[in-house]
Amino acid sequence: MQSAPDDEELDSLSIRLVGLDENYPVRLNWNDLGVQFSKQSIVVPGDRLTRSREFIPGHGTLRRTVEAGSGNASFAAGRRQKQNDDNAEDNDEDDEDEDEEGAWELAASVAGRQHVVNKLLCVLPGRSRYAGEIGDVVVGRVQEVASRRWRIDANARLQATLHLSGVLLPGEDLRRKSEEDERAMRAVLAEGDLVSAEVQSVQADGSLVLHTRNARYGRLGQGTLVRVPPALIKRSKTHFHSLPCGVTLVLGMNGYCWCGPTPGQSDVREPLASPADRSEVARVRACVRLLAVNHVPLYDTSVMQAYEVARESPVALLSRPDEQLRVARLVAEQLLTAEVGEAQPGGGGFGLHSGDLISGGALSAVH
Amino acid sequence: LLAQLLSEPERQYIFDSVQDAVRIDGRQCLAYRQAALRLDLLCYATASAQVSLGETDVLVSVREEDNPGATAQQQGSTGSVAVQQQQAVSHPVSVWVDCSCLGSGPEQQQLADEAQAHLSSLYRCLRTPTPVFVDILLLGYDGNLLDAASIAASAALMRALPASLLSAQALPLFATVHRIGSQQIVDANQLEESCSMARVTVGVDSNGRLVACQTCGEGSL
C-alpha cells in the first residue's frame, strides 16, 4: 500500500492511468468479507417463491396458477398467469373465486431479496425508487410553491406534497390561519429550500403527502446534501443524529442525507460555521459518500465508525477510490463482527439472513 | 455550466466554505480531484480516451477525415491572402459535445451547446492538415467539464496525430478557474459552479505558453 500522499500531492492534478482490463474504481466486495447468501434468498423475476397457500403476497410478488397435473410448476409451465396487484386487500376478494383445484404459486415480479414477516411474503428490490411509508423521515427539496401547498422533490416516482396545513407556522397556536399565510408561503419555504419532513400518508397514485408538524422537522439551514441509494438507509428509531464532532446528520429514508454544523445553543440565529466545523462537516459528508459507493448500510453507527477510521486522513483524500475502499472495508468488518456478536436465529424456511443490514447493503452491490 | 437548484443557506454555505478555504469535499482552493485516464476504448476511432475527474466522466474519440481532398475544396476564398494560404493547408479541430447520457432536458442540451462553443473557441489554437473531429461524450457530470475534456482530448490527440505535427504545435491542457467571492478555485464541482460569479479557462501547452483563453460569467475577475 502506498503511503498517504502529502498535501502538495493532494493539491496537484494527479492522473491515474487505468488499464483497459483493470477494474477501476474498486468497490467493496462483500463476498471477500465472508458474507454468503443462501441461493434461495435472492430471486429474479419469475422465480417461484412458494406453493404454500399460507403466505400472503406482498410487494414484489405475483400469484399465478399453474395447470393441475403438471408436476414441476416452473415459471415456463404456468399457462394462465394471473397478475395480481401486490396488495393484501386484493387477496381477500380473490380468495373466493380462487377455489380451483389447480395449484397456484407465488412468484417474484422483481429482482431482489425475499423477506418474510409472519405470513407476509414480499420481495425487496435492491435498487428501486423510493416508495415511501407512513412515518418515514425524508429530506426533500421544494420544487414549486402552489396554492396552499408546496411540491417537493423527495426522490420518489412522483413529487411529494406538503400542505400549508402540514407545516408548523410560528405563533400558530395563538391565531387562526389567514389568507396572508397563503400569500406568505415563500417566507416559510421557497423554491430550492431543503426541508426535513415526515410522511403523513401515501396517496393512491403512490405520491407522498408530507408534514412538518413537529419541532425537529422543518427547513434545513447551513450544510450540504448527499444523495445515496435509498435502499442503503437503515430504518432506525431516529434519523436525526447529532454527532460528537459537532455535525448534524439527517439520514432521510429517501436517500437524501443532509450534513451540517450543529447549531449552538446561543441566541444567534444562524452563527457562521468556523473552518474547523466545515472541515468536520466535509469529513462526515465524505464518510457518507464512501459508505454509499461501497454499498455499506447507512446509519449512525456505520457513519461514526467510518468517521473514526477516517479521522487521521486529510479530508480531500477521502474522495479517492482507494482510500474509500480502505475505510469502507474496515467499517464493514467491524459491522460484521458486531452482528455475529449479537447472533439471532435465521428467519423462515427461505434461508434469510437475520441481519437485514448486511443483506440490504450487499444486495445493492449485486447490481 | 449546469446550474443546480439550491437553497439560500446551501449557497451561502458553499460560498463561505470557499472563503474559509475548506471546500465542500475538504479540498484546498487550488486542489484538483484525482483523475483516472483510460486509453484506446473505441475500435472505430483513430484514438480515444476516457477521463473521470471525480464524478465528471468524459469519453473523447478523435477521428481523422478519410478524404481530406474533398473538404479542402470547400475552403472559403474570402479574407487576406495569408489567411487563405493558411486555410488551404490547415483545418481547425472540429469539436462536438454530446450530453444525452445526462438526460434529454433543455438544461442538458444547453450544457452541450455551451461546452461545444467554449471548447471550439479554446481549440482554435490547434490546426491540423487534415480535418480532425473530436467527439466528446459526457457520461457523468460534477463540474469542470472543460478541464476533463481537455485531458481526454489531449491524450487522444497525442495518439492520433503524427509526432511531427505535435512537435510544431503543442496540445493545450485547459485549467478553469472560478471566482467565488474573493477566492479563486480550480476544478469546481457542480455545486461550486452554481455559486460562481465568473470563470476563466486558459489553455497551456507543454512549454508553459498560454495558447488559449476564455472567460465566462457576469462577475469581474
Side-chain angles (χ1 to χ4, degrees), chain A residues 55-73:
Chain A
F55 288 100
I56 305 171
H59 289 288
T61 62
L62 60 91
R63 281 191 309 170
R64 50 174 190 227
T65 53
V66 285
E67 242 183 30
S70 64
N72 266 337

Side-chain angles (χ1 to χ4, degrees), chain A residues 10 20 31 60 75 96 104 113 144 169 172 296 307 350:
Chain A
L10 274 182
L20 265 182
N31 289 330
F75 69 90
E96 281 83 32
W104 70 271
R113 166 180 66 95
E144 193 188 315
L169 295 173
E172 203 180 289
V296 178
Y307 178 84
F350 295 92

Side-chain angles (χ1 to χ4, degrees), chain B residues 109-176:
Chain B
Q109 190 54 48
Q110 190 188 358
L111 171 67
D113 294 340
E114 277 181 18
Q116 185 177 343
H118 296 321
L119 285 168
S120 302
S121 75
L122 284 164
Y123 269 115
R124 266 205 306 258
C125 55
L126 197 63
R127 304 199 83 89
T128 53
T130 58
V132 165
F133 300 95
V134 175
D135 298 325
I136 297 171
L137 178 64
L138 193 55
L139 300 170
Y141 185 71
D142 191 21
N144 208 12
L145 166 57
L146 298 179
D147 293 8
S150 81
I151 300 172
S154 298
L157 285 167
M158 269 204 279
R159 295 168 95 75
L161 300 177
S164 55
L165 187 62
L166 287 176
S167 58
Q169 29 179 350
L171 289 175
L173 273 186
F174 302 146
T176 304

